[in-house]
Amino acid sequence: MCGIVGYIGDKKAAPILIKGLEKLEYRGYDSAGIAVIENNEIVTLKDKGRVKNLLKIDGMESLNSGIGIAHTRWATHGKPSAINSHPHSDKDKCFAVVHNGIIENYKELKEKLKNEGYTFISETDTEVIPNLINYYYLKEKKEDSKALLRAIRNACMDLMGSFAIEVISKEKPNEMIVIRKDSPLIIGKGENENYIASDIPAILPYTRNIYFLDNYEFAYIYKDRVDFYNKNLEPIKKETKEIKWDSSDAEKDGFPHFMLKEIYEQPRAVRETIGTTLDNDKIEIEGLELEREYLKTINKIYIVACGTAMYAGLTARKTIEHLCNIPVEVEVASEFRYNNPLIDEKTLAIYISQSGETADTIAALKLAKSKGAKTIAVANVIGSSITREADYSVYTHAGPEIAVASTKAYTSQITMLTIMAMHFAEILGTSSKNEIEELKKCLLSMPEKIEETLKVAERIKEFAKKIYNEKDVFFLGRGIDYPVCLEGSLKLKEITYIHSEGYASGELKHGPIALIDNGITVVSVITDKDLVEKSLSNVQEVITRGAKILLITNQNIEKKGFEELIKIPETNKFLSPILAIIPLQLLSYNIAVEKKLDVDKPRNLAKSVTVE
Ligand code: F6R
């Protein structure tokens, strides 16, 4: 789980590579490095630590080369260190390689190469790649124009696992070859220059015309053209896709952190996700053309995802079951894969992923497909791997999400899944016209209601100052508020490192209430008017045991007895999670700031989890 960048053109490569890596630090940030070709020799500069440390390495400023590859690492094999940092070279220093992914059979390959006289200096799985390329290249006739390409292809065919790889060689100082399998890689086409990256934000300042590589597609990149080949090295044609994201979308725009910027971008993210879906008489979702005859055969829907995306799925379950009358199961992708799920052609399987690159979610999708289910991907990144595997792909339009902690992607996912539930219900006739109309009206007013909710920011900041030293925080909710509490609790854990649990309010007395002690903070979310009394009596149970309560509600509840009461706007019950999560996002954000933590890049986490 790392970020890779490449450049080939007339400009100096090094500054472009470093700028690109900075944009990809959300993918990993324990070490970084670049390799360029200067005077027909590979020059590699790398070290452990953040990308900005690269600027301090001797010789960085004097690099003039117009070709280079770069990497920001999130360690999987071998601790963060200069030696284990990428780029890696072969024993003859002829090739330099950066790699994102995991080579599962690297030990076996290492042994094989050692028996052939190859030596290794790092603990990484990646180092086998340049050495394998060297091994195969020595078998080629150098004058053959495809010798390097063939050597790389042969090396890649030996690799098991996932990889996005960039290769440069002093044998071909003006050319670069890249390939991917199950790890993301894109190529940005410029004027007399080309850019390569794991993700769009790294190259957005330079171009919006992007080639997306499929598994086992090789790109032979020159400064003025890109040739594509399939697994058998037959030439293939590929077209660029235009990315509409604004380059300022990937900048902080005056906010101190990406997370805060992204929290404030939610009105726009939700508005753009709604887009034109509700404009006509009938709901229309681009990319999703499911016939009534087919939908009528469905007897179960699976929603599969990881982390925050899975919590969006838990909310969607309630909406889909209510509107469509179809049972929905929600499962974490890493469990689903190995649970032998009961799936057949009557199952519809929906996969939610912001990045579209989460390895477990992609594998879970492939599994359902192989068992005959139709699959839908709900992704935020256009052209991402999951969208190329799914039968249907629909997009949230949250724009690039850079902070590791997901915020605007989550609210956009709930938005899109609600629209999807309404769409299915409309086709199936399982919900009344009035109910759909009322939901439409509420959805269309969501951006304004989010704006209104964001006004609680100052009060949340003050509350955060009171509790930032807490060791444990509990989140309690019932019904539609329960998944919001799980997501609120996840946000708190991941960016503030405070231990926290989300519970269904009614479940508390079956064990966890033993943890409630004098002075402990409990966040209670109450938005379902039919459950107010029951939820309040659960809150009373913890108040009696000494808890301090932060209450988030859209109901008229008296403040008496609560440490703080945050009122949010009322809306349709199924949409209230979009508003209720906002104070919780702000709470975690402000606690992390108060604790002077790295809000956008919390420890041990990476934005896209492209390994199992
Ligand atoms: C938490 C968070 C993660 C992701 C999860 C899935 O803030 O961001 O829990 O939601 O890793 O990622 P995607 O949606 O990219 O598949």
Side-chain angles (χ1 to χ4, degrees), residues 219-236:
Y220 206 125
I221 311 175
Y222 307 81
K223 72 174 184 184
D224 54 357
R225 75 169 205 271
V226 187
D227 296 339
F228 295 97
Y229 298 90
N230 65 14
K231 218 178 192 170
N232 303 320
L233 299 191
E234 293 150 350
I236 50 171

mmCIF file of all heavy atoms in Angstrom, residues 219-236:
data_model
loop_
_atom_site.group_PDB
_atom_site.id
_atom_site.type_symbol
_atom_site.label_atom_id
_atom_site.label_comp_id
_atom_site.label_asym_id
_atom_site.label_seq_id
_atom_site.Cartn_x
_atom_site.Cartn_y
_atom_site.Cartn_z
ATOM 1 N N ALA A 219 2.441 -0.612 -20.517
ATOM 2 C CA ALA A 219 2.562 0.660 -21.245
ATOM 3 C C ALA A 219 4.039 0.950 -21.447
ATOM 4 O O ALA A 219 4.816 0.960 -20.487
ATOM 5 C CB ALA A 219 1.902 1.776 -20.446
ATOM 6 N N TYR A 220 4.402 1.142 -22.704
ATOM 7 C CA TYR A 220 5.777 1.507 -23.053
ATOM 8 C C TYR A 220 5.739 3.007 -23.291
ATOM 9 O O TYR A 220 5.119 3.477 -24.236
ATOM 10 C CB TYR A 220 6.190 0.744 -24.322
ATOM 11 C CG TYR A 220 7.680 0.537 -24.428
ATOM 12 C CD1 TYR A 220 8.202 -0.741 -24.600
ATOM 13 C CD2 TYR A 220 8.564 1.607 -24.360
ATOM 14 C CE1 TYR A 220 9.575 -0.953 -24.685
ATOM 15 C CE2 TYR A 220 9.938 1.403 -24.439
ATOM 16 C CZ TYR A 220 10.444 0.122 -24.600
ATOM 17 O OH TYR A 220 11.796 -0.069 -24.682
ATOM 18 N N ILE A 221 6.379 3.744 -22.402
ATOM 19 C CA ILE A 221 6.153 5.192 -22.390
ATOM 20 C C ILE A 221 7.394 5.953 -22.864
ATOM 21 O O ILE A 221 8.504 5.753 -22.336
ATOM 22 C CB ILE A 221 5.759 5.664 -20.969
ATOM 23 C CG1 ILE A 221 4.636 4.778 -20.415
ATOM 24 C CG2 ILE A 221 5.321 7.117 -20.978
ATOM 25 C CD1 ILE A 221 4.244 5.076 -18.985
ATOM 26 N N TYR A 222 7.176 6.793 -23.877
ATOM 27 C CA TYR A 222 8.201 7.727 -24.351
ATOM 28 C C TYR A 222 7.681 9.114 -23.977
ATOM 29 O O TYR A 222 6.535 9.268 -23.573
ATOM 30 C CB TYR A 222 8.352 7.645 -25.869
ATOM 31 C CG TYR A 222 8.589 6.245 -26.390
ATOM 32 C CD1 TYR A 222 7.518 5.356 -26.567
ATOM 33 C CD2 TYR A 222 9.872 5.814 -26.705
ATOM 34 C CE1 TYR A 222 7.731 4.074 -27.044
ATOM 35 C CE2 TYR A 222 10.089 4.524 -27.188
ATOM 36 C CZ TYR A 222 9.007 3.662 -27.358
ATOM 37 O OH TYR A 222 9.218 2.406 -27.832
ATOM 38 N N LYS A 223 8.524 10.148 -24.208
ATOM 39 C CA LYS A 223 7.985 11.451 -23.798
ATOM 40 C C LYS A 223 6.832 11.882 -24.711
ATOM 41 O O LYS A 223 5.927 12.580 -24.267
ATOM 42 C CB LYS A 223 9.089 12.512 -23.729
ATOM 43 C CG LYS A 223 9.639 12.976 -25.038
ATOM 44 C CD LYS A 223 10.600 14.129 -24.805
ATOM 45 C CE LYS A 223 11.064 14.651 -26.153
ATOM 46 N NZ LYS A 223 12.055 15.692 -26.053
ATOM 47 N N ASP A 224 6.837 11.448 -25.973
ATOM 48 C CA ASP A 224 5.801 11.929 -26.887
ATOM 49 C C ASP A 224 4.787 10.866 -27.298
ATOM 50 O O ASP A 224 3.968 11.084 -28.173
ATOM 51 C CB ASP A 224 6.451 12.538 -28.135
ATOM 52 C CG ASP A 224 7.413 11.561 -28.782
ATOM 53 O OD1 ASP A 224 7.606 10.458 -28.217
ATOM 54 O OD2 ASP A 224 7.982 11.887 -29.834
ATOM 55 N N ARG A 225 4.856 9.682 -26.699
ATOM 56 C CA ARG A 225 3.802 8.704 -27.005
ATOM 57 C C ARG A 225 3.780 7.574 -25.982
ATOM 58 O O ARG A 225 4.740 7.400 -25.228
ATOM 59 C CB ARG A 225 3.952 8.162 -28.423
ATOM 60 C CG ARG A 225 5.024 7.173 -28.688
ATOM 61 C CD ARG A 225 4.822 6.572 -30.106
ATOM 62 N NE ARG A 225 5.423 5.268 -30.175
ATOM 63 C CZ ARG A 225 6.703 5.072 -30.523
ATOM 64 N NH1 ARG A 225 7.491 6.092 -30.827
ATOM 65 N NH2 ARG A 225 7.194 3.845 -30.560
ATOM 66 N N VAL A 226 2.667 6.858 -25.995
ATOM 67 C CA VAL A 226 2.570 5.680 -25.121
ATOM 68 C C VAL A 226 2.068 4.523 -25.985
ATOM 69 O O VAL A 226 1.041 4.652 -26.656
ATOM 70 C CB VAL A 226 1.563 5.901 -23.964
ATOM 71 C CG1 VAL A 226 1.611 4.719 -22.988
ATOM 72 C CG2 VAL A 226 1.825 7.201 -23.213
ATOM 73 N N ASP A 227 2.800 3.424 -25.992
ATOM 74 C CA ASP A 227 2.348 2.225 -26.706
ATOM 75 C C ASP A 227 1.855 1.207 -25.678
ATOM 76 O O ASP A 227 2.513 1.003 -24.651
ATOM 77 C CB ASP A 227 3.513 1.602 -27.494
ATOM 78 C CG ASP A 227 4.005 2.545 -28.580
ATOM 79 O OD1 ASP A 227 3.237 3.446 -28.979
ATOM 80 O OD2 ASP A 227 5.169 2.399 -29.007
ATOM 81 N N PHE A 228 0.716 0.606 -25.989
ATOM 82 C CA PHE A 228 0.139 -0.350 -25.033
ATOM 83 C C PHE A 228 0.208 -1.769 -25.581
ATOM 84 O O PHE A 228 0.033 -1.975 -26.800
ATOM 85 C CB PHE A 228 -1.319 0.009 -24.741
ATOM 86 C CG PHE A 228 -1.455 1.330 -24.039
ATOM 87 C CD1 PHE A 228 -1.748 2.485 -24.750
ATOM 88 C CD2 PHE A 228 -1.267 1.424 -22.670
ATOM 89 C CE1 PHE A 228 -1.862 3.705 -24.103
ATOM 90 C CE2 PHE A 228 -1.378 2.638 -22.015
ATOM 91 C CZ PHE A 228 -1.677 3.786 -22.733
ATOM 92 N N TYR A 229 0.434 -2.708 -24.696
ATOM 93 C CA TYR A 229 0.515 -4.120 -25.084
ATOM 94 C C TYR A 229 -0.270 -4.966 -24.097
ATOM 95 O O TYR A 229 -0.342 -4.637 -22.911
ATOM 96 C CB TYR A 229 1.978 -4.597 -25.059
ATOM 97 C CG TYR A 229 2.853 -3.854 -26.029
ATOM 98 C CD1 TYR A 229 3.511 -2.690 -25.636
ATOM 99 C CD2 TYR A 229 3.019 -4.301 -27.346
ATOM 100 C CE1 TYR A 229 4.307 -1.981 -26.524
ATOM 101 C CE2 TYR A 229 3.817 -3.601 -28.239
ATOM 102 C CZ TYR A 229 4.456 -2.440 -27.822
ATOM 103 O OH TYR A 229 5.230 -1.750 -28.704
ATOM 104 N N ASN A 230 -0.808 -6.082 -24.610
ATOM 105 C CA ASN A 230 -1.466 -7.024 -23.701
ATOM 106 C C ASN A 230 -0.438 -8.018 -23.157
ATOM 107 O O ASN A 230 0.760 -7.907 -23.465
ATOM 108 C CB ASN A 230 -2.662 -7.702 -24.381
ATOM 109 C CG ASN A 230 -2.229 -8.591 -25.546
ATOM 110 O OD1 ASN A 230 -1.040 -8.914 -25.688
ATOM 111 N ND2 ASN A 230 -3.178 -8.975 -26.374
ATOM 112 N N LYS A 231 -0.942 -8.968 -22.404
ATOM 113 C CA LYS A 231 -0.103 -9.999 -21.777
ATOM 114 C C LYS A 231 0.822 -10.705 -22.775
ATOM 115 O O LYS A 231 1.929 -11.100 -22.457
ATOM 116 C CB LYS A 231 -1.085 -11.032 -21.210
ATOM 117 C CG LYS A 231 -0.730 -11.629 -19.923
ATOM 118 C CD LYS A 231 -1.881 -12.572 -19.562
ATOM 119 C CE LYS A 231 -1.770 -13.013 -18.152
ATOM 120 N NZ LYS A 231 -2.912 -13.721 -17.661
ATOM 121 N N ASN A 232 0.297 -10.889 -24.025
ATOM 122 C CA ASN A 232 1.090 -11.596 -25.034
ATOM 123 C C ASN A 232 1.972 -10.652 -25.825
ATOM 124 O O ASN A 232 2.499 -11.011 -26.874
ATOM 125 C CB ASN A 232 0.159 -12.343 -26.004
ATOM 126 C CG ASN A 232 -0.734 -13.284 -25.260
ATOM 127 O OD1 ASN A 232 -0.279 -13.928 -24.312
ATOM 128 N ND2 ASN A 232 -2.010 -13.352 -25.647
ATOM 129 N N LEU A 233 2.039 -9.423 -25.379
ATOM 130 C CA LEU A 233 2.805 -8.353 -26.015
ATOM 131 C C LEU A 233 2.299 -8.012 -27.413
ATOM 132 O O LEU A 233 3.058 -7.544 -28.269
ATOM 133 C CB LEU A 233 4.308 -8.664 -26.019
ATOM 134 C CG LEU A 233 4.929 -8.823 -24.625
ATOM 135 C CD1 LEU A 233 6.442 -8.854 -24.691
ATOM 136 C CD2 LEU A 233 4.502 -7.701 -23.686
ATOM 137 N N GLU A 234 1.003 -8.234 -27.623
ATOM 138 C CA GLU A 234 0.384 -7.746 -28.859
ATOM 139 C C GLU A 234 -0.046 -6.304 -28.604
ATOM 140 O O GLU A 234 -0.574 -5.990 -27.528
ATOM 141 C CB GLU A 234 -0.857 -8.564 -29.210
ATOM 142 C CG GLU A 234 -0.521 -9.991 -29.582
ATOM 143 C CD GLU A 234 -1.650 -10.978 -29.227
ATOM 144 O OE1 GLU A 234 -2.611 -10.581 -28.531
ATOM 145 O OE2 GLU A 234 -1.533 -12.131 -29.647
ATOM 146 N N PRO A 235 0.190 -5.412 -29.611
ATOM 147 C CA PRO A 235 -0.200 -4.003 -29.401
ATOM 148 C C PRO A 235 -1.713 -3.885 -29.206
ATOM 149 O O PRO A 235 -2.484 -4.604 -29.847
ATOM 150 C CB PRO A 235 0.216 -3.316 -30.710
ATOM 151 C CG PRO A 235 1.116 -4.274 -31.407
ATOM 152 C CD PRO A 235 0.805 -5.650 -30.917
ATOM 153 N N ILE A 236 -2.131 -3.024 -28.279
ATOM 154 C CA ILE A 236 -3.569 -2.764 -28.080
ATOM 155 C C ILE A 236 -3.793 -1.258 -28.114
ATOM 156 O O ILE A 236 -2.869 -0.483 -27.879
ATOM 157 C CB ILE A 236 -4.102 -3.342 -26.745
ATOM 158 C CG1 ILE A 236 -3.190 -2.923 -25.570
ATOM 159 C CG2 ILE A 236 -4.258 -4.831 -26.800
ATOM 160 C CD1 ILE A 236 -3.751 -3.259 -24.210
#
